Amino acid sequence: MRTIEKAILNRTTLLVGDSAMERIANARVIIFGVGGVGSWCAESLVRSGIRRMTIVDSDRVCITNVNRQAMATTQTVGRVKVDALKERLLEINPAAEITAIQEIFSADTADSFHLEEYDYIIDAIDSLKDKIELIVRATDKTLAKPKFYSSMGAALKMDPTQVHISEFWQVDGCPLAAVLRRRMRKQKRFPGRRFQCVWSPEVLPNLGQARTCGTSACMCPKKGNGEGRADLADHEWCTAKAQINGTTAHITAIYGFTLAGLIIQDLCKTKK
């Protein structure tokens, strides 16, 4: 490892040893979705020694993201999420190789990501349709190399002690997992192999009034707002969601850290 990395990662190296740190540094990870879960997963991985990472998200930082996303501050509102997160990750480890892709993973774009090139694939996607597409493709039996981990729903939760790790078909009590399985059965599209999920059975009600971020504090691109953002100026990100639910920083971060932990643990497994 390079000198600055050795200093940054000294405490991790003390715990896991030099050979594990080499495996961590050489692993290639791709994270789809860098919101409340994916952003903390990315940060934890870089702080743990992952050097080669690709982060994928089409969104921009919204004022309502500040309560839970690693790169979201009042200074980054309006910026492309993957760009803001890349900047933060490079501040943590300037030697990291971060590829930021402002794109939606979908059936139309899936082939462009070359999943076979990665050692680990993290799913932190919100869209049901695109989430199923990633699950099916990332677990395809012909895709032998990458290990795949997925985040189930992290909204409407407060209790950190209820966060679990289970195989997808064993997740019991998570509404998102239930909907995914129903849609898979209806479409007759199933995972090619088993994979681990981070999830919680807790489902709390929204007690506050649901609202979009259409306030004077919002800097998200709006249709025809004349902000000069030709790439995304015609998309109203905040009003595009089918449903907006309450979220907390500690739960989304625990989900993200747990996903990162699964990768680091796997890389530290070795025969003595």
Side-chain angles (χ1 to χ4, degrees):
M1 289 186 291
R2 304 163 198 182
T3 302
I4 188 171
E5 285 181 307
K6 286 184 178 180
I8 292 169
L9 301 171
N10 178 57
R11 299 299 179 92
T12 309
T13 306
L14 283 172
L15 179 64
V16 306
D18 292 329
S19 60
M21 290 306 297
E22 283 299 315
R23 290 194 296 277
I24 291 170
N26 291 327
R28 293 196 64 187
V29 179
I30 185 166
I31 301 176
F32 290 97
V34 293
V37 174
S39 62
W40 291 112
C41 178
E43 174 155 334
S44 181
L45 287 172
V46 167
R47 289 186 185 275
S48 299
I50 291 291
R51 182 187 296 164
R52 299 188 295 173
M53 182 188 300
T54 299
I55 50 177
V56 183
D57 199 302
S58 63
D59 210 345
R60 288 179 181 266
V61 178
C62 171
I63 192 70
T64 63
N65 299 152
V66 176
N67 82 315
R68 69 195 183 282
Q69 298 183 11
M71 67 291 177
T73 70
T74 55
Q75 300 303 306
T76 61
V77 168
R79 291 189 59 191
V80 172
K81 281 187 179 180
V82 291
D83 291 345
L85 181 58
K86 177 179 179 178
E87 183 177 287
R88 178 178 174 89
L89 297 178
L90 291 176
E91 287 177 352
I92 295 168
N93 183 3
E97 300 169 15
I98 310 297
T99 301
I101 302 177
Q102 187 190 12
E103 182 62 270
I104 294 173
F105 180 92
S106 67
D108 294 332
T109 64
D111 290 338
S112 68
F113 292 103
H114 303 288
L115 298 180
E116 71 281 356
E117 296 179 357
Y118 295 90
D119 299 297
Y120 296 93
I121 301 170
I122 293 291
D123 159 40
I125 294 175
D126 291 330
S127 163
L128 286 171
K129 175 172 61 70
D130 298 334
K131 197 175 190 74
I132 290 174
E133 189 68 33
L134 179 58
I135 289 172
V136 171
R137 286 179 178 261
T139 60
D140 191 299
K141 291 180 180 178
T142 64
L143 199 66
K145 183 181 178 182
K147 292 194 175 182
F148 175 67
Y149 301 111
S150 180
S151 169
M152 296 294 105
L156 301 177
K157 305 179 193 308
M158 286 283 288
D159 185 356
T161 67
Q162 294 196 49
V163 178
H164 301 291
I165 302 169
S166 302
E167 199 282 322
F168 176 63
W169 295 101
Q170 301 303 315
V171 174
D172 184 17
C174 172
L176 176 58
V179 172
L180 288 171
R181 292 192 291 252
R182 283 199 301 270
R183 292 200 180 189
M184 286 176 175
R185 292 186 181 104
K186 184 176 181 180
Q187 297 172 11
K188 294 182 170 52
R189 298 187 73 202
F190 301 101
R193 50 190 166 86
R194 295 181 178 275
F195 63 96
Q196 297 292 305
C197 299
V198 179
W199 65 285
S200 167
E202 184 181 24
V203 181
L204 299 174
N206 284 311
L207 298 181
Q209 180 182 354
R211 56 173 65 89
T212 66
C213 67
T215 68
S216 59
C218 180
M219 294 170 58
C220 298
K222 303 293 183 184
K223 290 183 179 179
N225 66 354
E227 291 182 17
R229 297 166 179 161
D231 53 347
L232 293 174
D234 289 332
H235 196 111
E236 293 188 44
W237 294 112
C238 308
T239 58
K241 294 182 180 295
Q243 184 175 346
I244 299 175
N245 289 315
T247 51
T248 57
H250 66 279
I251 293 294
T252 55
I254 289 170
Y255 270 53
F257 290 151
T258 303
L259 289 166
L262 289 170
I263 292 178
I264 299 302
Q265 279 187 303
D266 188 68
L267 286 165
C268 289
K269 291 178 183 175
T270 184
K271 293 181 180 180
K272 293 184 180 180

